[in-house]
Amino acid sequence: MTEPIPGPVIAGVDGGPTSPDALALGRWFAETLGVPLVVAVVHAAPAALGSGRIDAEWVADRHRAAQQVLDAARKDLEDVRGEVDYRMVASSSAAHGLHDLAEETGAALLVIGSGRHATKERLAAGSTADRLLAGAACPVAIAPAGLPTPTGQRRIGVAYVDTPDGRAALTAAAEVARRTGDTLRLYTVVAEADATLPFLIGQDAERAFLETARETYESSLRRAAESVPGVTAEWQVVAGDVVDTLADLDEVDVLFCGSRGYGPARRVLLGGVSTRLVRRACRPVVVVPRS
């Protein structure tokens, strides 16, 4: 039985070339999770120490520009199912405004487009994404440039390791798969044999070490797949560079990953793998804070 998910999905847009990607992915998540969609545009707030009339005119101009972005979003979402709320948020920065809105609404997910200079079909987190991914209180999804919204039978991927972060990513991905009936695919990436290692410990010892590590990962994945009832779950251990392998997973429609294993709970704090992954992935990536 699925549990109700509190809070809406927030799609942050700015009228730039990546806004349609954020709208499309946000819409899909909102309809999938059965929650409202909030389309948010952040515009400049009046400065505490401004230049009077000049500052007020500039803020008013930014307010009008934000309204135009929302009007364009309304046209793009005319046929959306479910509730859509359009919000303008005054803040000192886009990331700060979206942070505040997510906490105010108890958002289930925050969705943004990739960086303006992202190549088509690849992620490249922009400055707003970088700041959002440094402390967001809810999962953050980044949409690659130019990819179509998932349709039909999908495969929900999870970059899994048996840590609090990995288990949080699995829980979030399983909830989506449970609601859609899609297949859940768990991946653990193990490093390939190091050519220098045999000289230190010998070929036989290295082979035994790698086999033991693989058996441990396979056992962990099997237990994880069995821990999500009501979901068809598959798993795979893949040898290779962790970031390269996960970034090139074009067989999944969306990839969930944890943030990192330290820092305050319930906050997204990127580690080495997740930082590089959101800059290179060819599919939408959802970074989940540990619970």
Side-chain angles (χ1 to χ4, degrees):
M1 179 179 177
T2 59
E3 296 294 329
I5 295 179
V9 168
I10 297 175
V13 295
D14 62 2
T18 64
S19 289
D21 304 308
L23 282 178
L25 188 62
R27 170 181 180 171
W28 181 75
F29 271 117
E31 292 178 348
T32 296
L33 299 175
V35 298
L37 173 64
V38 174
V39 179
V41 180
V42 181
H43 64 88
L49 294 174
S51 54
R53 179 171 173 271
I54 295 176
D55 181 64
E57 289 178 351
W58 183 78
V59 169
D61 177 72
R62 295 298 83 204
H63 187 278
R64 286 191 296 270
Q67 186 61 62
Q68 291 172 356
V69 172
L70 286 185
D71 291 342
R74 283 190 178 91
K75 292 182 179 179
D76 289 339
L77 298 174
E78 284 179 341
D79 62 339
V80 72
R81 303 194 307 269
E83 178 185 346
V84 184
D85 185 19
Y86 297 89
R87 301 278 292 272
M88 285 195 294
V89 180
S91 183
S92 57
S93 72
H96 195 284
L98 292 174
H99 267 301
D100 289 347
L101 182 61
E103 295 197 348
E104 173 193 331
T105 61
L109 184 72
L110 236 174
V111 183
I112 56 174
S114 55
R116 290 179 179 272
H117 302 295
T119 57
K120 188 176 182 181
E121 299 183 354
R122 286 284 174 176
L123 288 181
S127 59
T128 297
D130 286 340
R131 294 186 182 97
L132 276 176
L133 288 166
C138 67
V140 177
I142 305 176
L147 270 188
T149 306
T151 57
Q153 186 63 35
R154 295 153 295 244
R155 180 169 288 179
I156 311 298
V158 185
Y160 184 78
V161 286
D162 191 14
T163 64
D165 293 71
R167 292 189 288 273
L170 175 60
T171 298
E175 186 59 37
V176 172
R178 194 174 290 118
R179 289 169 180 267
T180 61
D182 294 327
T183 300
L184 196 63
R185 182 81 177 182
L186 282 65
Y187 297 90
T188 293
V189 182
V190 298
E192 294 178 307
D194 188 336
T196 64
L197 197 56
F199 293 101
L200 300 176
I201 65 174
Q203 292 278 3
D204 292 341
E206 183 205 25
R207 188 177 302 110
F209 171 79
L210 292 175
E211 289 176 356
T212 299
R214 178 174 285 272
E215 290 173 359
T216 300
Y217 287 128
E218 288 177 347
S219 177
S220 174
L221 283 168
R222 189 178 297 108
R223 290 195 304 271
E226 293 171 352
S227 72
V228 284
V231 174
T232 300
E234 304 170 348
W235 55 268
Q236 182 180 359
V237 176
V238 186
D241 176 83
V242 176
V243 175
D244 288 344
T245 301
L246 293 175
D248 291 336
L249 282 177
D250 59 1
E251 63 195 57
V252 300
D253 293 283
V254 59
L255 180 66
F256 285 74
C257 70
S259 48
R260 67 185 184 189
Y262 53 94
R266 300 188 186 280
R267 293 281 171 174
V268 170
L269 286 171
L270 293 188
V273 170
S274 50
T275 296
R276 288 178 287 153
L277 180 58
V278 298
R279 299 185 184 281
R280 290 215 42 233
C282 65
R283 290 290 186 264
V285 171
V286 182
V287 184
V288 181
R290 65 191 178 96
S291 58

